[in-house]
Amino acid sequence: MSSTTTTQTTGRARTWSVTEHLEDILGTVRALEPIELQLLDAQGCVLVEDITVSLSLPPFDNSSMDGYAVRTADVEGASEEFPAVLTVVGDAAAGQAEQYTVGAGEAVRIMTGAPLPPGAEAVVPVEWTDGGTGGGPAAGMNPHSAAPEGASGEVRVHRPAPARAHVRDKGSDVRPGDLALKAGTVLGPPQIALLAAIGRGTVRVHPRPRVVVISTGSELIQPDEVLAPGQIYDSNSFAMTAAARDAGAIAYRVGAVSDDAEELRSTIEDSLIRADLIITTGGVSVGAYDVVKEALAHVGDEDEPGSGVEFRTLAMQPGKPQGFGTIGSEHTPLLALPGNPVSSYVSFELFVRPAIRALAGLPDLHRPTVRAQLVLDKAVTSPAGRRQFLRARHNEGTATLVGGSGSHLIAALAHADALVVIPEDVTSVEPGAEVEVVLLG
Amino acid sequence: MSSTTTTQTTGRARTWSVTEHLEDILGTVRALEPIELQLLDAQGCVLVEDITVSLSLPPFDNSSMDGYAVRTADVEGASEEFPAVLTVVGDAAAGQAEQYTVGAGEAVRIMTGAPLPPGAEAVVPVEWTDGGTGGGPAAGMNPHSAAPEGASGEVRVHRPAPARAHVRDKGSDVRPGDLALKAGTVLGPPQIALLAAIGRGTVRVHPRPRVVVISTGSELIQPDEVLAPGQIYDSNSFAMTAAARDAGAIAYRVGAVSDDAEELRSTIEDSLIRADLIITTGGVSVGAYDVVKEALAHVGDEDEPGSGVEFRTLAMQPGKPQGFGTIGSEHTPLLALPGNPVSSYVSFELFVRPAIRALAGLPDLHRPTVRAQLVLDKAVTSPAGRRQFLRARHNEGTATLVGGSGSHLIAALAHADALVVIPEDVTSVEPGAEVEVVLLG
């Protein structure tokens, strides 16, 4: 944490802006130590090394067509009326061990991708020949297994071919020493294809962050159980787990822990072994049962420099109470989010998602934002000095609010695809005003 | 397949347009049979049922603040100078079994989310009181475990509160009978949050399609092995597996099978049990070792109506030879893609990705397309009668080609983020021309 974060967990602490809190988080969280992963396990990860090519691609001159490998002099002037008649000495198929040489007056029947045989200078596509049938132009070859005689006999070539026609040159794609991919590249399917093609079965990347999600609250029960009076269903642990995965993490849902500091403390300590980041929800406000605050004063090794979680009042709505810090000997970052489902979701988008992406070493930490015109029946108010985030639907340059501003309106959240940002110094927004919109994508 | 698909695997078959081939695929592929999945297993899936709410959210009137539940008459006219002094009869914490009643002159200390006690009409935030300390305005409460005396004694209230102040009404979010989510909704984190919140632990969705990826070619070896003459590394099975996952599938990489029809046939038959879609690469052209063509004449139960894979010539570049059909008793769709890495990748984007998304029941089958200005040094040519797809980088309304048009230029593909589409009737494109661009995202 930055040296300015000296406020404590109780008392009239200063209020943090959204920007300050985010800067503190991103100033603390570092990209995870690189590890060597199998190619497909590295999908979506960020490369930490420049990848230099050590072979040529293609590794050898090869045919780009199914046809016949020939000497150009032998097919000079060939036509359908006056074909060049060549002796087929064998097949060149991709991956075949035997190799034939093309002498004067000879041809090798060759398949796409097969090495150009010694002596051959060009390939004529099978459609430019009689395919060895003695008839008219061929449409293709018969399967070798059914008609092995196609690899011998005579072929009539109907058109000439210049040198290197239908030949892919060795090294025309990449050559030894070429830079295939730069450190910092995100490995999507085409990048994985290139790595496989140049023979790299493993790569060094920042691994996907492992995120442990713990919701807190004695009132929480699991979906499909029967609600007793005063109970509600735990939704935050599901929402945060799904959102963490969506941000690129491997997420572990611990689920709901009751408002007992000792139980929470031990759950958090047990989670450290598998966590690159811990998220808690609930228990961060000013109440007498706000157990996350209570528990985190004693987690892990607080003598380690940089350890400790700080609880803050943020100048935002929803999401005013927030906790952030690092715990344990590994200084594992922990974000303690408020318990209202909408508050925790907005907090995730603003703070946790960028933290996960920073741990992954990804270049784009933030959701895209656009300007849009706010569609409203009447003006909406916003508290002075707090940045408000309203749930909205974005469509072609406009944003329409869904649901109200209550932080428990989870039904409305499920129909939103954007957050409308009302700055701290704005207390009322008129219909048609231009606003900043975060696209939740 | 449509009734017009009567061409056969050999001979001078008609040429299919990209659009015709895609329409045939999408006319054949159906969304997978719905299954009931645990919430987090349903992430990214499409709901097949309307979800109606069977409870109220919140399920009971509850406090939106940490504070004191009071009768409004008792705090009328209260100020810091002339506080209302109330007897604290106990705590109302979320999830707590005991419930206290607020009588005249009494208050219950209440936590955010706790049920409003009988007798109480409003909540005053703790910051509007002395917090039971007898001092000035409180900043918060002390933890109950450390200071249980906060649940008794007296509290001084400094401000009045109207009826229902800081109370979230039962059912203010959703009520029984409300439609929570419509069939067809894609389940992202906020939708999963809502489902959990209303007590749904499982939902009926189209499952994620299981895609089996098989590359073919006797020349293929695995990355990290040592290349012998004539061999190349298998990249397609990696690329297609990664791309299938990227499209939302559960992908199984079988890897490379040699050019032996019997081996390929048995591999495909073994894969049917775990496949909603099979992708093969290579072996679809006119050569004598094009084993996919050979093998697929005999896979599965060809007496079943709708079975059979058809090999076609498409009016496109790259990607001219393509196979498509259904195999086995379940009519599992199979797409046989050409073997050149760039051809198979472009074919995946055009045909396989939409097929996977159709199997998943997703609403958006296609990549977004935009118009862009083509940045070029000199005009590029394009074959008449074929739709050409060129690899490009897209940036702010412009597209710049990367690499050449050779279908083996996999290095260039790894640096592209878009495909430039040159229509069938265009044979030359000038610098600065406006073109259609598929964003690979």
Side-chain angles (χ1 to χ4, degrees):
Chain A
M1 263 180 290
S2 75
S3 57
T4 61
T5 63
T6 53
T7 51
Q8 283 311 304
T9 61
T10 56
R12 298 193 171 276
R14 77 170 173 98
T15 298
W16 289 62
S17 73
V18 170
T19 306
E20 288 172 325
H21 187 61
L22 181 61
E23 281 176 357
D24 188 27
I25 292 168
L26 295 181
T28 304
V29 167
R30 294 273 169 269
L32 296 173
E33 275 298 303
I35 58 173
E36 189 91 9
L37 286 181
Q38 297 287 323
L39 268 194
L40 285 172
D41 293 333
Q43 185 170 359
C45 294
V46 175
L47 201 59
V48 297
E49 53 180 352
D50 285 346
I51 301 281
T52 303
V53 179
S54 60
L55 80 174
S56 291
L57 273 189
F60 42 85
D61 290 348
N62 70 95
S63 179
S64 68
M65 300 290 280
D66 299 311
Y68 292 86
V70 298
R71 295 180 173 223
T72 52
D74 287 341
V75 295
E76 210 175 316
S79 66
E80 205 168 326
E81 198 179 353
F82 302 104
V85 183
L86 304 176
T87 302
V88 179
V89 297
D91 270 357
Q96 168 189 289
E98 320 89 290
Q99 197 173 44
Y100 299 93
T101 297
V102 177
E106 292 179 346
V108 162
R109 192 169 70 158
I110 192 166
M111 311 305 146
T112 305
L116 189 71
E121 294 160 319
V123 171
V124 287
V126 64
E127 294 89 343
W128 296 6
T129 75
D130 70 349
T133 61
M141 302 175 187
N142 289 319
H144 174 74
S145 58
E149 70 278 8
S152 59
E154 285 184 344
V155 63
R156 277 152 213 275
V157 176
H158 300 152
R159 289 167 63 173
R164 311 304 287 176
H166 307 113
V167 175
R168 295 177 190 140
D169 293 335
K170 173 179 176 174
S172 57
D173 198 344
V174 294
R175 294 168 187 279
D178 281 358
L179 181 65
L181 295 173
K182 277 190 288 194
T185 301
V186 182
L187 298 179
Q191 292 76 34
I192 287 173
L194 174 57
L195 290 167
I198 64 171
R200 286 291 300 244
T202 63
V203 276
R204 274 185 86 72
V205 295
H206 296 296
R208 294 167 67 200
R210 300 161 304 155
V211 174
V212 170
V213 176
I214 302 168
S215 56
T216 69
S218 298
E219 75 278 25
L220 302 178
I221 66 164
Q222 296 310 296
D224 288 339
E225 292 181 4
V226 177
L227 281 185
Q231 293 184 325
I232 61 171
Y233 291 110
D234 171 25
S235 67
N236 283 340
S237 69
F238 291 91
M240 297 298 102
T241 302
R245 284 184 190 167
D246 217 52
I250 297 165
Y252 301 106
R253 187 182 74 90
V254 169
V257 173
S258 74
D259 290 327
D260 177 275
E262 199 43 59
E263 184 188 344
L264 177 61
R265 195 146 48 217
S266 105
T267 302
I268 290 175
E269 281 178 354
D270 290 350
S271 298
L272 281 171
I273 189 73
R274 57 173 169 160
D276 298 312
L277 174 70
I278 294 176
I279 309 171
T280 63
T281 62
V284 292
S285 194
V286 297
Y289 297 77
D290 279 333
V291 69
V292 173
K293 266 185 160 172
E294 196 182 340
L296 288 181
H298 307 286
V299 164
D301 187 350
E302 50 187 348
D303 293 334
E304 289 280 341
S307 280
V309 174
E310 180 179 299
F311 292 87
R312 297 170 181 172
T313 299
L314 257 70
M316 68 181 282
Q317 182 180 35
K320 189 170 84 164
Q322 300 275 346
F324 169 64
T326 60
I327 59 170
S329 58
E330 304 284 330
H331 309 305
T332 305
L334 181 145
L335 281 97
L337 310 182
N340 284 317
V342 176
S343 305
S344 61
Y345 189 77
V346 170
S347 303
F348 184 97
E349 283 293 336
L350 295 181
F351 307 121
V352 185
R353 193 171 185 283
I356 288 173
R357 296 179 67 82
L359 285 167
L362 287 164
D364 299 322
L365 299 186
H366 301 291
R367 295 278 198 190
T369 61
V370 294
R371 305 292 297 179
Q373 202 178 29
L374 194 55
V375 179
L376 286 174
D377 290 335
K378 53 186 175 66
V380 290
T381 59
S382 189
R386 294 173 73 180
R387 199 180 300 180
Q388 194 178 21
F389 296 89
L390 297 168
R391 279 67 66 201
R393 287 197 70 80
H394 177 257
N395 185 34
E396 290 179 5
T398 68
T400 309
L401 300 185
V402 290
S405 65
S407 55
H408 58 305
L409 296 173
I410 194 172
L413 180 64
H415 297 99
D417 61 10
L419 295 175
V420 166
V421 185
I422 313 291
E424 289 83 344
D425 58 354
V426 174
T427 55
S428 177
V429 183
E430 298 297 319
E434 191 187 281
V435 289
E436 184 188 354
V437 175
V438 180
L439 303 179
L440 298 178
Chain B
M1 263 180 291
S2 76
S3 57
T4 60
T5 63
T6 53
T7 52
Q8 284 311 305
T9 60
T10 56
R12 298 193 171 275
R14 79 170 172 98
T15 297
W16 290 61
S17 74
V18 170
T19 307
E20 287 171 326
H21 188 60
L22 181 61
E23 281 176 356
D24 188 29
I25 292 167
L26 295 180
T28 303
V29 167
R30 296 271 167 270
L32 296 173
E33 275 299 301
I35 58 174
E36 188 91 10
L37 286 181
Q38 296 289 321
L39 269 193
L40 285 172
D41 294 334
Q43 184 170 359
C45 294
V46 175
L47 200 60
V48 298
E49 53 181 352
D50 285 346
I51 301 281
T52 304
V53 179
S54 60
L55 80 172
S56 292
L57 272 190
F60 42 84
D61 291 348
N62 71 95
S63 178
S64 69
M65 300 290 279
D66 299 310
Y68 291 85
V70 299
R71 295 180 173 223
T72 53
D74 286 342
V75 295
E76 211 177 313
S79 67
E80 206 168 327
E81 199 179 352
F82 302 103
V85 183
L86 305 176
T87 303
V88 180
V89 296
D91 270 357
Q96 167 188 290
E98 319 89 291
Q99 196 172 44
Y100 300 94
T101 298
V102 176
E106 293 179 345
V108 162
R109 192 170 67 159
I110 192 166
M111 312 303 148
T112 306
L116 190 70
E121 295 160 318
V123 171
V124 287
V126 64
E127 294 89 344
W128 296 6
T129 76
D130 70 349
T133 60
M141 301 176 189
N142 288 319
H144 174 74
S145 58
E149 70 280 8
S152 59
E154 285 184 343
V155 64
R156 278 152 213 271
V157 177
H158 300 153
R159 289 168 64 173
R164 311 304 286 176
H166 308 111
V167 175
R168 295 176 190 140
D169 295 335
K170 171 180 177 174
S172 57
D173 198 344
V174 294
R175 293 168 188 279
D178 282 358
L179 182 65
L181 295 173
K182 278 191 288 195
T185 301
V186 182
L187 299 180
Q191 292 76 35
I192 286 173
L194 175 57
L195 290 167
I198 64 171
R200 287 291 301 244
T202 63
V203 276
R204 276 185 84 72
V205 295
H206 296 296
R208 295 168 66 199
R210 299 162 304 155
V211 174
V212 170
V213 176
I214 302 168
S215 57
T216 69
S218 299
E219 75 277 26
L220 301 178
I221 66 164
Q222 296 309 297
D224 287 339
E225 293 181 5
V226 177
L227 281 184
Q231 293 184 326
I232 60 171
Y233 291 110
D234 172 24
S235 66
N236 283 339
S237 70
F238 291 91
M240 297 296 103
T241 301
R245 286 184 189 167
D246 216 51
I250 297 164
Y252 301 106
R253 188 182 74 90
V254 170
V257 173
S258 73
D259 290 327
D260 177 274
E262 199 44 59
E263 185 188 343
L264 177 60
R265 194 145 49 218
S266 104
T267 302
I268 290 175
E269 282 177 354
D270 290 350
S271 298
L272 281 171
I273 189 72
R274 59 173 167 158
D276 298 312
L277 174 70
I278 294 176
I279 309 172
T280 64
T281 61
V284 292
S285 194
V286 297
Y289 297 77
D290 277 333
V291 70
V292 174
K293 265 185 159 171
E294 193 182 343
L296 288 181
H298 308 284
V299 165
D301 187 349
E302 52 187 348
D303 294 334
E304 288 280 341
S307 280
V309 174
E310 180 178 300
F311 292 87
R312 297 169 181 171
T313 299
L314 257 69
M316 68 181 280
Q317 181 180 36
K320 188 169 86 164
Q322 299 277 345
F324 169 63
T326 60
I327 59 169
S329 57
E330 304 283 330
H331 310 304
T332 305
L334 182 146
L335 281 98
L337 310 182
N340 284 318
V342 176
S343 305
S344 61
Y345 189 77
V346 170
S347 303
F348 184 97
E349 283 293 336
L350 295 181
F351 306 122
V352 185
R353 195 171 184 281
I356 288 172
R357 295 179 68 83
L359 286 167
L362 287 164
D364 300 321
L365 300 185
H366 301 291
R367 296 278 198 190
T369 61
V370 294
R371 307 290 298 179
Q373 203 179 31
L374 193 56
V375 178
L376 286 174
D377 290 335
K378 55 185 174 66
V380 289
T381 59
S382 188
R386 294 173 75 180
R387 198 180 300 179
Q388 194 177 23
F389 296 89
L390 297 169
R391 279 69 64 201
R393 286 198 71 80
H394 177 257
N395 184 34
E396 290 179 5
T398 68
T400 308
L401 301 185
V402 289
S405 63
S407 54
H408 59 304
L409 296 173
I410 194 171
L413 179 64
H415 296 98
D417 61 10
L419 295 175
V420 166
V421 185
I422 311 293
E424 290 84 343
D425 59 353
V426 174
T427 55
S428 177
V429 183
E430 299 296 319
E434 191 187 281
V435 289
E436 184 188 353
V437 175
V438 180
L439 302 179
L440 299 178

